[in-house]
Amino acid sequence: MTVMESVPEQADLCATATARHPRPEGQDRYTIGEVVTCTGLTAHTLRWYERIGLMPHVDRSHTGQRRYSNRDLDWLAFVGRLRRTGMPVADMVRYARLLREGEHTVPERQQLLHAHREDVRRKIVELRETLAVLDHKIDCYGDAQRASERA
């Protein structure tokens, strides 16, 4: 699944919007509180993402309040997926910086994602092996319990 990767100001050539948003396009200005509710992230995390360059440009109202867009929500969803796969924050920030720099960085972005995909695949293999061990142990305990109940 590809989500709209949209570090504001620079669109990703491979991006396609697939997320459903609370508001229709064009009516997509969210306060930080609404984004907290929508994403499950804390306001502190959202502000930190801005400070480190992971969310480098969030629009502001005339009073200075943050106003997030559907594109921002798409980007946060993508970042959330990267976080769940264990991508280091430094790599996410690097990816965001490359995206903002433009199309000439596509090969570097692709390489970064390829390398991370291999890490994820290795983790999946490890998790499957661990799951098999857990399943075996659970089965052994179940067999032992059934045997003791028959005795």
Side-chain angles (χ1 to χ4, degrees), residues 66-86:
R66 289 170 176 82
R67 292 290 182 233
Y68 295 86
S69 68
N70 285 334
R71 290 175 58 129
D72 294 327
L73 295 180
D74 290 336
W75 174 251
L76 290 168
F78 180 67
V79 167
R81 289 184 184 281
L82 294 178
R83 286 184 67 223
R84 282 190 296 281
T85 62

Side-chain angles (χ1 to χ4, degrees), residues 5 12 24 28 85 110 123 127 129 145:
E5 300 169 289
D12 187 338
D28 64 346
T85 62
Q110 184 180 26
K123 288 176 188 170
L127 287 170
E129 291 169 354
Q145 187 175 13

Side-chain angles (χ1 to χ4, degrees), residues 74-147:
D74 290 336
W75 174 251
L76 290 168
F78 180 67
V79 167
R81 289 184 184 281
L82 294 178
R83 286 184 67 223
R84 282 190 296 281
T85 62
M87 180 180 269
V89 172
D91 286 347
M92 289 187 278
V93 171
R94 181 172 156 232
Y95 183 87
R97 179 184 48 79
L98 291 169
L99 184 58
R100 285 189 309 274
E101 288 177 9
E103 296 307 312
H104 70 281
T105 66
V106 166
E108 194 173 350
R109 283 183 266 158
Q110 184 180 26
Q111 189 280 326
L112 190 150
L113 293 176
H114 271 294
H116 184 62
R117 180 176 62 186
E118 289 310 308
D119 289 342
V120 170
R121 285 182 171 161
R122 277 190 293 278
K123 288 176 188 170
I124 289 170
V125 168
E126 290 172 5
L127 287 170
R128 284 187 177 140
E129 291 169 354
T130 301
L131 182 60
V133 169
L134 290 171
D135 288 342
H136 175 73
K137 283 292 197 186
I138 290 168
D139 290 344
C140 287
Y141 288 126
D143 292 345
Q145 187 175 13
R146 283 187 291 281

Side-chain angles (χ1 to χ4, degrees), residues 58-67:
V58 176
D59 286 338
R60 303 278 183 144
S61 70
H62 69 283
T63 60
Q65 292 179 312
R66 289 170 176 82
R67 292 290 182 233

